[in-house]
Amino acid sequence: MDAHAQAMWDLMERTMRSERWRPGDDGDAQRRYRDACRAMSGDHALFDAVIAKIIDPGLDPERFTLLAERERLDQRGKLQAAQVMAELADKVMYKAGWNVQRAVRAHYRRDVPRAFAELAAGIPESADRLGAYRVAAMASWLVNDPAMEFKAHLDRLWDAIGEDDMRTSLSRAFANALVPAYARGDAPEHARDRLAEDETARLDGGPAADADAALRRMTRPGAATRR
């Protein structure tokens, strides 16, 4: 892994699993984490890797590195990275048994959205907070935070950047009560039928197609327009 990817891996797999850690702590580790968050404002591959580690806290270092360093890979490697993200997006949107909230709470000792928001708050320049605020907002949606907590993350993202593709998609999710599959309340015995219905709707261009496209936009920050 490069230095920024290693810092984010250490943050999530080691530091966030410690009850003693606070984002305001001093030390070399905090500087590494904030430097990586700054880099993530423009490094969409690193952003993807961090989001993948939230969707699947058990993500192994090989797949994390594949995602974080995809821009330096050959075409085959880039396609493999895209497939990893597509599979995770499908689990979030269509598999009621893939409970991100439960997995995150079991794996991490910290409130992940809040931790990234607090890391961002320690970065002096507003534009450099963008990557951490994007992660905080996306993570808040993934763990199905209460509506006002989710909105607070969206507001911080707006203050940092104004309009961009990911914030627009998350705002639409907030406005339309679009939530991950596990939060829709699908009973286990109906999960397979619901998945089949969603797949049919996606092929037909129905509501599931909109949901699928929305999540894929959320996980690709894209070009931003500063205020």
Side-chain angles (χ1 to χ4, degrees), residues 12 16 40 47 50-55 92 100-102 104-105 108 110-117 131-146 149-151 153-154 157 166 170 180 182 215 218-219:
M12 302 191 74
M16 280 196 184
M40 194 162 51
F47 170 87
V50 171
I51 293 302
K53 188 69 174 159
I54 295 169
I55 295 174
V92 170
V100 178
Q101 182 187 84
R102 184 169 57 216
V104 165
R105 289 178 177 175
Y108 300 114
R110 296 286 294 154
D111 180 314
V112 174
R114 184 177 301 171
F116 274 95
Y133 279 150
R134 276 177 171 155
V135 171
M138 186 66 194
S140 182
W141 181 81
L142 286 166
V143 301
N144 197 35
D145 271 344
E149 289 185 29
F150 179 35
K151 185 178 184 300
H153 289 296
L154 291 177
L157 186 53
M166 198 195 80
L170 286 172
Y182 75 86
L215 183 71
M218 289 176 203
T219 55

Side-chain angles (χ1 to χ4, degrees), residues 2-5 7-8 31-48 50 68 72 123 127-132 134-135 221 226:
D2 69 15
H4 291 146
M8 285 292 97
R31 285 188 286 274
R32 288 175 59 230
Y33 299 157
R34 290 195 175 107
D35 284 347
C37 284
R38 287 189 188 95
M40 194 162 51
S41 295
D43 188 342
H44 299 161
L46 182 56
F47 170 87
D48 277 358
V50 171
R72 293 190 286 276
I123 297 173
D128 290 339
R129 300 173 192 156
L130 177 59
R134 276 177 171 155
V135 171
R226 298 191 183 281

